[in-house]
Amino acid sequence: MSGSYRSALIIGIQGIRARKLRTLLSMVSLFLGVLAVVVVQAGASIAERALLADMEMTQGYDGTKVMEVLPNDKLGTIVTDTLEGQPDAIAMLTTQAIIGEPGVKPVNEGGSPFDENWGGGMICNGPGPEDCEPINSGPPGAAIEIRLSALTGDIRTFRPLRPMTGDWLDFSSVPSLAPKLVINREAEKGFNRHQVPAEMRINGASANLTPQIVGVVDDGDYQPRAYVRMDELSNWLPSTAMTDPNSGGAQLQVLLGPDSPVEKVLTSKLQAAGVETYAQTIESYKQLESQLSLMRLLFLSMAGLVLLIGVAGILNVGLATVGERVEEFALRRAVGTPRLLLAGIVLAETLLTGLLTAAAAIGAGVAGLKVVSMLVGQSEPMLRDVQFPWEAGVAGIIAGIIAGVLGGFIPALRAAGIPIATVMRA
């Protein structure tokens, strides 16, 4: 720092120490404005991450390629053989399954959420309407219908499922004849409400299965769903039956990394077999960018109004301080102090006041977020162990600097304009 800037800073610090109460009043008037900016920026960052996390949980990380494949009895061996041993690609086959008493209607026909009632669907064994019949025929009983997703690998590579209790599927172990299931929170709700036998039936399976529920995850799905290893399911359900178009609405998705070479190989094989595919790249942030920017702009505008009120307070205090120090500034001018240095002294005081206020506001924001995380973190996963966003700290510092400049600009001009003759008043 040059000598003049260093002198302005030192004199500014001395002025703050000499007028502690007035500095405190300036900080109080400015604190709420800076805190509003910090809170808005922190809230916007946390909300942005929460929205993106929810979309990533249901759709996938940005850059993930999702290939939708129409059901076809030729798919089973093509997909499993191509994806075997590929860490950057997995297949997810989703179909309906019923767990509970055999031959009865489930309590949530059609796999509906347990607080809703969608009614049962239809299964078709031919092209005509006469070939269709209700999927869940039979008397009401102790059974639950779920969406069953069979995986060739760990889906958490592409979708950040949140573990709740228990374990996740272990793809490194030997396939079990009693398939291990990881259910979502909606399915957990159903199993907590209804006691059902551990017997699972799937259309096309050679026999009813005995599943083992080993864990619960939050996958963002409002329907009851369970995840299972595809190789464990294939012990009971032939690969041709898994992808049979008449198997009750089975869906096949292939999740691929951004630069996975598997996409071209798999697409070529499927096209050679006459199977249609459709691929899209997940771009969650791009979809939300305009919405998030508008939301942040609106809240920052309101925080800016509160900040202006604080600037007005520090401006009033600054003008009053300069009025009391007229003789001091005139005397400094008389001994050769440049006008620019006088203005720098006043600006240094207001800038330091703004930075001190920003530090206090950031500290309050960090402490407040910690308290909120401790109080509601258990019920709100997005606030569990949440970290204070650095963007909010930067915004607070910028707000403090801007407030210091705006609040000290006019007092600095007034100090620089004091004539030397004013020293005669002393």
Side-chain angles (χ1 to χ4, degrees), residues 264-394:
K264 293 182 179 180
V265 177
L266 182 58
T267 302
S268 300
K269 289 183 178 181
L270 293 175
Q271 289 177 349
V275 179
E276 296 183 15
T277 62
Y278 171 73
Q280 63 173 344
T281 301
I282 301 300
E283 296 179 333
S284 301
Y285 184 81
K286 186 176 180 180
Q287 296 175 13
L288 292 175
E289 187 174 11
S290 59
Q291 177 184 349
L292 293 172
S293 299
L294 178 61
M295 178 184 68
R296 182 171 298 185
L297 180 61
L298 290 175
F299 283 104
L300 281 177
S301 299
M302 291 186 289
L305 292 177
V306 180
L307 183 63
L308 285 177
I309 297 174
V311 170
I314 197 174
L315 175 62
N316 288 333
V317 173
L319 288 173
T321 301
V322 170
E324 292 178 357
R325 300 172 65 186
V326 169
E327 289 81 4
E328 174 194 342
F329 289 136
L331 182 60
R332 290 184 183 278
R333 285 279 296 120
V335 297
T337 302
R339 294 180 184 273
L340 186 61
L341 181 57
L342 291 179
I345 292 171
V346 177
L347 273 178
E349 290 186 17
T350 56
L351 276 174
L352 288 172
T353 301
L355 288 175
L356 290 173
T357 306
I362 292 171
V366 172
L369 185 60
K370 191 71 175 178
V371 171
V372 170
S373 178
M374 292 172 58
L375 294 178
V376 300
Q378 296 299 323
S379 58
E380 294 293 336
M382 62 171 286
L383 294 176
R384 188 182 305 162
D385 299 325
V386 65
Q387 299 297 319
F388 186 77
W390 64 268
E391 302 97 326
V394 172

Side-chain angles (χ1 to χ4, degrees), residues 1-7:
M1 297 177 66
S2 65
S4 58
Y5 291 144
R6 185 166 58 250
S7 299

Side-chain angles (χ1 to χ4, degrees), residues 7 48 52 77 97 100 132 173 185 207-208 228 252 259 280 303 364 368 413:
S7 299
E48 176 180 325
L52 287 175
T77 55
C132 299
S173 62
R185 299 180 68 181
N208 288 350
V228 64
L252 180 64
D259 301 316
Q280 63 173 344
L413 290 179

Side-chain angles (χ1 to χ4, degrees), residues 41-96:
Q41 184 65 38
S45 298
I46 293 172
E48 176 180 325
R49 294 176 188 176
L51 287 173
L52 287 175
D54 289 341
M55 293 188 70
E56 288 172 349
M57 192 163 52
T58 56
Q59 299 181 16
Y61 291 112
D62 272 17
T64 299
K65 291 186 178 180
V66 180
M67 182 184 296
E68 302 280 352
V69 185
L70 296 178
N72 189 297
D73 55 6
K74 302 176 183 177
L75 286 179
T77 55
I78 295 177
V79 173
T80 54
D81 291 347
T82 306
L83 300 185
E84 185 177 1
Q86 300 292 337
D88 57 350
I90 69 163
M92 179 173 69
L93 176 73
T94 303
T95 187
Q96 298 292 116

Side-chain angles (χ1 to χ4, degrees), residues 10-72:
I10 293 173
I11 297 172
I13 294 174
Q14 292 174 345
I16 290 175
R17 292 178 61 186
R19 285 171 287 277
K20 297 183 181 68
L21 181 59
R22 185 158 291 183
T23 301
L24 180 61
L25 291 175
S26 299
M27 291 178 63
V28 169
S29 65
L30 189 59
F31 178 78
L32 290 179
V34 178
L35 182 61
V37 174
V38 171
V39 170
V40 166
Q41 184 65 38
S45 298
I46 293 172
E48 176 180 325
R49 294 176 188 176
L51 287 173
L52 287 175
D54 289 341
M55 293 188 70
E56 288 172 349
M57 192 163 52
T58 56
Q59 299 181 16
Y61 291 112
D62 272 17
T64 299
K65 291 186 178 180
V66 180
M67 182 184 296
E68 302 280 352
V69 185
L70 296 178
N72 189 297

